């Protein structure tokens, strides 16, 4: 068990590298392993937070890059902070938006200082430095905030992977310094935003109230591609930089073979401290989740489940199915027999196909909620199996059934 | 009070031409005046039926033209009929789709026989005759089905309006004959649709079970543009063609002056039988609804409230507001103080604006539900005022407040 400020983590059951954990944050406890729905703009695409909660979500992500551009990190803070803004009272996490800066912006230039980029929205020029990212994430106010790291292409060679990993370590040190400074000195005063007549005032900056700054935890990110020596060096560097509430593993599920991704979990897990939660970034397919849980990963996020759902691909225990396929036209069975989501309990395949074919927005909404529910239920079941001491047999049987259909399809 | 087969209508209170009514259908009672949400493809855009029900909807529309093209009227019947398909167990109505044939199809040709058109979806050729439309709407299975009428441009001259009105009367007679034949002889056998292995069977055609065909009511449509003599002739022609469970007034809100529309209500109401519900087609702005209720209209539908909501325009008691406007950026007030919808009770203008600006689909969903809720609440309040005997004073005050802001905006 670890306790660091307002955060704590303890494990109660294990099966090899897999663990059942309890991650305490200022906004509540997350039982791990856990999948975290992604609310990029402080909204999980098309879904209301009460639906996410009913589906079993405990912790929700948002994206610092997107919120920095709209409505602005200062504005989120003025409107009461991320939890109030997003209407999610449980634990939250912001990704730094490093990935989005690298993939979505125009004319980005990466130097040791940071990333300079122009917004895709209006061409405006922005500086994304480790220090600036800490200020942004501190303003937004999630419980967990991520360091700025340097992202590179999947499949990059050893030298490029090493250089990015080492730069990410240097940026981590700068993030940590700025994070500690903000915790000690408080955040910068808030901009004054005009408020319409009759509207209630915004949160204003009270220097005393902001000292110490609200409790947050900064997570470092292990990088190094699929090179075991680089992953080990990254972890060693991170552990030398300070003590951490939790540690993330990034740069996976970017086109490498699944076996290389799973090997990377095996490389990382034994070197990561047992009593800290491990967050595997951007991985969210059912089989990958179970393989990662078995190899000691605790927290997961990915936009793929909701994005795939919006386009009609849904998870079932027998593999993925495409809702639009013509045989569903007369198929009155539910998508699955066991999932408790509204798509499975109130509708049949024939109607869901009809919604997708006629581009009725209820279709994408229901299928995205199904995929989220499916992953949240899968993690709930993994926790139950860990508690019961039957995790490995269950995991093997689950994967065999899931992959049989995928192979046969 | 009128009773015709499985349908009945009675009024319990009146205020001049305005009435409080109870319309009994095979799927339940509708208290009038009532606004009916539009579920074109058997789905109210982006919303689940339980949300529509919670918002106060009693009766829902679908569109025979859209369902005929996808998934097919035979398929809706094979899947258990419209109520089962759409997951709405209350009263339902299908528009014939005459409007859609005229506005959405390519190369339409109108003759005395009917309308020949090519589908916008795949260019396929279709015949829409009064007889065919009755067969389609009988297969789909709503409680109330509409005649095929001839639609013309808003602002058409007297001769064109007269010709279309007279053709609509001739088509009504053919609809009635085919409707009676289907009620007497039962519907045509169902196509045999292949069903996947393991999927439950579809509804199959049982000739005995289909005799008599399920209870439905056919509504005629009063036409004649804004010409009082044509409206009167249309009503006279309709009343000569048979007895009707209810009567619709069509061809309004197509660009004419509001005063001309209101005058048309005044022309029609005294000639329509008091003991039959009157359905005003395609009118759905708050002020038009109250003017129409005052002039004796009972049932209303319109896609504008949900479409406007999806684009950020919402109704309030002080007129329409545009959610995206920049002053809402820091406005923490709800959209309205009184509306019970989720947008008004769980969110503020700043967040709703953010959802619309970032194109998060939760925004259109919440605002469409707000506009629907607003109209459903308005009709609920109109019924309460009719019951209390205070309708006219309330209606005048309501309109004055609503229009003050519209004028001032």
């Amino acid at each position: 068990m670890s306790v660091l400020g307002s955060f704590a983590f303890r494990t109660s059951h294990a099966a090899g590298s897999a663990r059942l954990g309890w991650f305490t944050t200022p906004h509540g406890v997350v039982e791990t392993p856990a999948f975290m729905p992604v609310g990029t703009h402080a909204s999980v695409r098309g879904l209301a937070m009460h639906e996410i909660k009913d589906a079993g979500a405990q912790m929700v992500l948002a994206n610092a890059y997107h919120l920095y551009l709209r409505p602005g990190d200062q504005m989120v803070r003025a409107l009461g902070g991320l939890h109030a803004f997003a209407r999610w009272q449980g634990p939250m996490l912001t990704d730094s938006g490093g990935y989005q800066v690298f993939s979505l912006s125009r004319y980005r230039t990466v130097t040791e200082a940071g990333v300079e980029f122009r917004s895709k929205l209006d061409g405006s020029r922005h500086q994304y430095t480790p220090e600036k990212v800490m200020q942004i994430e501190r303003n937004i106010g999630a419980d967990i905030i991520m360091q700025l790291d340097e992202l590179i292409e999947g499949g990059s060679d050893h030298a490029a992977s090493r250089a990015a990993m080492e730069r990410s370590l240097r940026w981590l040190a700068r993030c940590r310094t700025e994070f500690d400074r903000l915790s000690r000195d408080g955040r910068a005063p808030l901009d004054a935003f005009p408020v319409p007549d009759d509207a209630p005032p915004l949160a204003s900056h009270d220097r005393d109230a902001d000292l110490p700054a609200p409790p947050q935890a900064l997570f470092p990110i292990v990088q190094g591609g699929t090179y075991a020596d680089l992953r080990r060096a990254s972890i060693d560097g991170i552990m030398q930089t300070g003590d951490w509430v939790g540690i993330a593993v990034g740069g996976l599920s970017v086109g490498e073979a699944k076996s290389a991704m799973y090997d990377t979990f095996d490389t990382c897990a034994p070197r990561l401290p047992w009593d800290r939660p491990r967050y595997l970034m951007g991985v969210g397919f059912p089989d990958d989740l179970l393989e990662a849980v078995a190899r000691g990963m605790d927290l997961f996020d990915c936009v793929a489940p909701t994005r795939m759902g919006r386009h009609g691909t849904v998870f079932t225990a027998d593999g993925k199915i495409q809702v639009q396929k013509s045989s569903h036209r007369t198929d009155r069975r539910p998508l699955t027999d066991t999932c408790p989501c509204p798509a499975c309990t109130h509708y049949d395949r024939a109607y869901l196909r009809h919604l997708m074919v006629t581009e009725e927005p209820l279709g994408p909404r229901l299928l995205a909620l199904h995929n989220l529910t499916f992953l949240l239920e899968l993690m709930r079941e993994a926790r139950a199996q860990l508690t019961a001491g039957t995790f490995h047999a269950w995991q093997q049987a689950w994967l065999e059934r899931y992959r049989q259909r995928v192979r046969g399809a």
Side-chain angles (χ1 to χ4, degrees), chain A:
Chain A
M1 171 146 179
S2 65
V3 179
L4 285 172
S6 309
F7 296 85
F9 184 71
R10 70 180 175 86
T11 57
S12 62
H13 296 72
S17 297
R19 322 94 65 71
L20 182 74
W22 312 80
F23 181 32
T24 302
T25 78
H27 285 85
V29 176
V30 182
E31 297 172 62
T32 65
F35 180 79
M36 305 180 287
V38 180
T40 304
H41 295 108
S43 171
V44 180
R45 298 228 98 200
L47 302 174
M49 287 298 180
H50 70 85
E51 292 168 316
I52 304 295
K53 189 165 196 290
D54 290 348
Q58 307 172 75
M59 184 161 183
V60 169
L61 253 73
N63 191 285
Y65 164 83
H66 286 286
L67 292 174
Y68 161 70
L69 292 178
R70 295 184 303 195
D73 54 301
Q74 285 257 350
M75 182 61 81
V76 172
R77 182 174 152 202
L79 289 167
L82 181 60
H83 297 79
F85 186 63
R87 271 73 181 167
W88 178 262
Q89 293 314 311
M92 297 193 82
L93 181 152
T94 42
D95 192 5
S96 70
Y99 175 80
Q100 283 69 29
V101 167
F102 282 88
S103 64
L104 297 181
S105 51
R106 301 190 299 187
Y107 314 114
R108 61 177 166 76
T109 319
V110 187
T111 65
E112 187 63 22
V115 193
E116 192 176 310
F117 66 95
R118 289 175 63 175
S119 163
K120 212 179 157 183
L121 299 171
D122 61 3
S124 56
R125 209 174 271 283
H126 302 268
Q127 288 278 353
Y128 228 57
T129 64
E131 292 78 14
K132 181 73 182 289
V133 167
M134 288 299 98
Q135 293 157 16
I136 291 169
E137 293 194 86
R138 278 300 226 175
N139 278 333
I140 293 170
D143 301 273
I144 309 296
I145 69 178
M146 304 305 298
Q147 74 157 103
L148 181 66
D149 52 354
E150 183 176 358
L151 277 279
I152 54 172
E153 300 272 313
S156 293
D157 66 19
H158 190 275
S161 300
R162 167 171 222 108
M165 180 273 285
E166 291 180 343
R167 174 169 281 164
S168 294
L169 282 177
R170 293 191 297 273
W171 285 0
L172 174 62
R174 288 168 55 193
C175 282
R176 181 65 184 246
T177 301
E178 179 67 5
F179 179 82
D180 289 343
R181 187 190 72 75
L182 290 165
S183 301
R184 192 180 59 240
D185 301 344
R187 298 174 294 184
L190 260 176
D191 293 345
F193 297 106
V195 171
D197 293 346
D198 305 330
L202 299 179
S204 59
H205 182 72
D206 177 339
R207 195 164 186 81
D208 292 334
D210 208 45
L211 281 173
Q216 292 182 299
L218 168 64
F219 274 26
I221 304 173
V222 177
Q223 290 290 0
T226 53
Y227 302 102
D229 62 322
L230 298 183
R231 289 283 174 180
R232 283 192 288 264
S234 179
I235 293 173
D236 291 347
I238 285 167
M239 299 314 294
Q240 285 160 20
T241 318
D243 197 4
W244 305 100
V245 166
I247 297 170
V249 176
L252 290 171
S253 204
V254 290
E256 75 282 6
K258 288 207 177 219
S259 59
M261 174 165 71
Y262 302 159
D263 287 347
T264 303
F265 305 153
D266 283 330
T267 302
C268 292
R271 299 204 155 221
L272 292 169
W274 180 265
D275 63 351
R276 299 289 189 281
R278 297 103 176 240
Y279 160 32
L280 175 60
M281 303 180 77
V283 174
F285 290 90
D287 50 340
D288 294 341
L289 288 188
L290 285 195
E291 297 282 10
V293 168
R295 291 168 172 83
M297 299 293 143
D298 305 304
L299 295 166
F300 309 93
D301 82 287
C302 192
V303 295
T306 37
R307 182 182 296 152
M308 286 165 51
R310 288 202 304 278
H311 294 103
T313 302
V314 296
F315 300 135
T316 81
D318 295 306
K320 296 194 283 274
I321 60 177
Q322 186 63 28
V323 172
Q324 290 93 327
K325 71 177 179 177
S326 60
S327 68
H328 286 153
R329 192 157 172 253
T330 55
D331 195 335
R332 303 188 70 181
R333 287 175 297 178
L335 282 183
T336 78
D337 291 326
T338 51
C339 174
C341 84
C344 290
T345 54
H346 295 314
Y347 302 93
D348 59 26
R349 295 177 182 201
Y351 184 69
L352 293 169
R353 174 184 189 272
H354 168 71
L355 292 179
M356 293 306 290
V357 167
T358 55
E359 296 176 24
E360 281 289 335
L362 182 61
R365 168 183 160 186
L366 288 172
L367 300 186
L369 183 56
H370 165 75
N371 278 351
L372 271 188
T373 306
F374 188 87
L375 296 185
L376 292 163
E377 284 289 305
L378 183 65
M379 293 297 95
R380 190 190 54 70
E381 184 63 23
R383 296 193 298 270
Q385 298 287 344
L386 283 164
T387 307
T390 50
F391 176 78
H392 280 300
W394 168 79
Q395 185 235 17
Q396 291 303 317
W398 200 99
L399 286 172
E400 191 170 338
R401 178 176 170 189
Y402 182 80
R403 287 171 173 161
Q404 203 158 22
R405 171 69 165 277
V406 171
R407 276 197 301 271

